[in-house]
Amino acid sequence: MTETDTGTGTGAGTEAEVQGNAAAGTAQGERWRRWQESWDRQQEWYLPDREERFGAMLDAVEALVGTEPKVLDLACGTGSITGRLLRRFPGATSTGVDLDPALLTIARGHFAADPRAAFVTADLRDERWTDALPHRGYDAVLTSTALHWLRTDELRALYGRLAGVLRDGGILVNADHMPDPATPRINEAVNAFHRARREREKAAGAQDWADWWAAAAADPVLAEPAAERFRIFGDPVAGDHADGETQSAAWHVEAMRAAGFAEARPVWASPADTMVLGLK
């Protein structure tokens, strides 16, 4: 006879406790899912071709390192790349690295039940940040719309460190803002087109960078990590964003080759951004 059958109430209490824990877990999971989705929508306001670049990135992974890669999701944010990687390649594993405590809180919450995903707090400007990684050799390093936060000398040094964490035959894929100074009229036309689109979508209720961070700061669970994030990077609600620099795709190709990659070239481009792939 089970405890429930005894009529003592012990089993019933245990069952209620289990159900309560399950409900709490479901509620937390839903919280992180909503934050993850709101981050994606906010990023898509800036990057309407974001899913296209992710698809091209994962195509490159499959073509060059296979369908069960060990991936370093660099400057991972809330884990947008990690989520798409694990959905497409169930046998993959991902280590997300970021310094932002609020975005990492969302990532860790969202992937809490998935043993394929792990997250590390690290500053990519620190020359010893790779010491915090759980693996010493990765098949691929993937990053999108993140490394423009770094200055040119910092990014060049980072490429050298990334060459050191990739196995031979591994790949580095960086999709980011890579303007071409040789095409000023094209650049201005593209920028004006996207400004007009964003204005229309903002008028229709789209959430921008400052709006998203204001909402995060007002959330009772994210308020503390958001405040810590503001101390590290500045207040995005006040308009602060980054002290980084952007370089052309040609610069990235040269920097990857100088860092020890055997081959490097652009493999995808939109009118404003480019994805460069380096093969070690």
Side-chain angles (χ1 to χ4, degrees), residues 224-272:
E224 184 174 341
E228 178 61 21
R229 187 255 182 233
F230 296 171
R231 286 191 287 272
I232 295 170
F233 296 106
D235 185 351
V237 179
D240 294 337
H241 186 69
D243 187 37
E245 299 171 315
T246 57
Q247 306 84 13
S248 69
W251 182 94
H252 286 270
V253 168
E254 182 278 327
M256 286 182 179
R257 288 177 174 161
F261 288 85
E263 299 178 14
R265 70 173 179 87
V267 292
W268 174 92
S270 71

Side-chain angles (χ1 to χ4, degrees), residues 11 21 51 62 68 74 87 105 125 129 156 175-176 183 194 211 229 255:
N21 289 339
E51 290 301 330
E62 184 170 355
E68 296 186 355
L74 195 69
R87 285 196 296 272
T105 296
R125 296 166 298 185
W129 72 268
R156 191 180 291 278
D176 208 344
T183 59
H194 285 301
D211 293 336
R229 187 255 182 233

Side-chain angles (χ1 to χ4, degrees), residues 28 34 37 49 61 102 109 119 133 151 156 184 187 208-209:
Q28 282 298 325
R34 289 197 306 269
E37 289 187 354
D49 51 22
V61 169
F119 296 92
L133 297 177
R151 300 192 68 77
R156 191 180 291 278
N187 299 345
D208 66 10
W209 175 261

Side-chain angles (χ1 to χ4, degrees), residues 2-262:
T2 66
E3 289 182 326
T4 303
D5 292 332
T6 66
T8 62
T10 303
T14 301
E15 183 178 351
E17 185 175 291
V18 169
Q19 291 175 344
N21 289 339
T26 300
Q28 282 298 325
E30 178 63 16
R31 165 189 288 274
W32 301 126
R33 185 192 65 77
R34 289 197 306 269
W35 275 111
Q36 177 72 263
E37 289 187 354
S38 73
W39 174 260
D40 282 343
R41 300 295 83 75
Q42 177 257 128
Q43 288 288 287
E44 287 166 2
W45 183 70
Y46 294 97
L47 307 166
D49 51 22
R50 190 166 178 256
E51 290 301 330
E52 180 182 329
R53 78 181 62 197
F54 286 150
M57 180 178 286
L58 297 182
D59 286 348
V61 169
E62 184 170 355
L64 288 156
V65 298
T67 59
E68 296 186 355
K70 185 184 297 179
V71 170
L72 181 61
D73 182 355
L74 195 69
C76 65
T78 64
S80 296
I81 291 175
T82 291
R84 288 157 178 81
L85 172 81
L86 299 180
R87 285 196 296 272
R88 176 159 168 176
F89 306 126
T93 59
S94 178
T95 303
V97 176
D98 210 298
L99 184 60
D100 190 312
L103 300 185
L104 282 173
T105 296
I106 296 170
R108 288 176 172 132
H110 186 66
F111 293 95
D114 194 333
R116 299 172 298 169
F119 296 92
V120 172
T121 300
D123 186 342
L124 300 181
R125 296 166 298 185
D126 184 341
E127 64 182 19
R128 297 186 61 85
W129 72 268
T130 58
D131 293 348
L133 297 177
H135 307 294
R136 285 296 167 259
Y138 287 85
D139 299 306
V141 177
L142 308 179
T143 185
S144 178
T145 328
L147 299 189
H148 63 274
W149 282 72
L150 300 176
R151 300 192 68 77
T152 300
D153 58 340
E154 295 169 340
L155 182 54
R156 191 180 291 278
L158 176 63
Y159 278 160
R161 294 186 191 107
L162 293 175
V165 303
L166 280 168
R167 65 166 175 83
D168 288 343
I171 60 172
L172 165 61
V173 186
N174 178 17
D176 208 344
H177 310 314
M178 299 182 188
D180 187 341
T183 59
R185 288 186 296 166
I186 294 174
N187 299 345
E188 178 52 36
V190 168
N191 290 337
F193 175 81
H194 285 301
R195 280 196 303 270
R197 173 190 55 78
R198 288 194 297 268
E199 289 172 3
R200 291 193 303 270
E201 293 176 359
K202 188 73 165 65
Q207 194 175 50
D208 66 10
W209 175 261
D211 293 336
W212 191 90
W213 279 108
D219 182 272
V221 176
L222 285 176
E224 184 174 341
E228 178 61 21
R229 187 255 182 233
F230 296 171
R231 286 191 287 272
I232 295 170
F233 296 106
D235 185 351
V237 179
D240 294 337
H241 186 69
D243 187 37
E245 299 171 315
T246 57
Q247 306 84 13
S248 69
W251 182 94
H252 286 270
V253 168
E254 182 278 327
M256 286 182 179
R257 288 177 174 161
F261 288 85

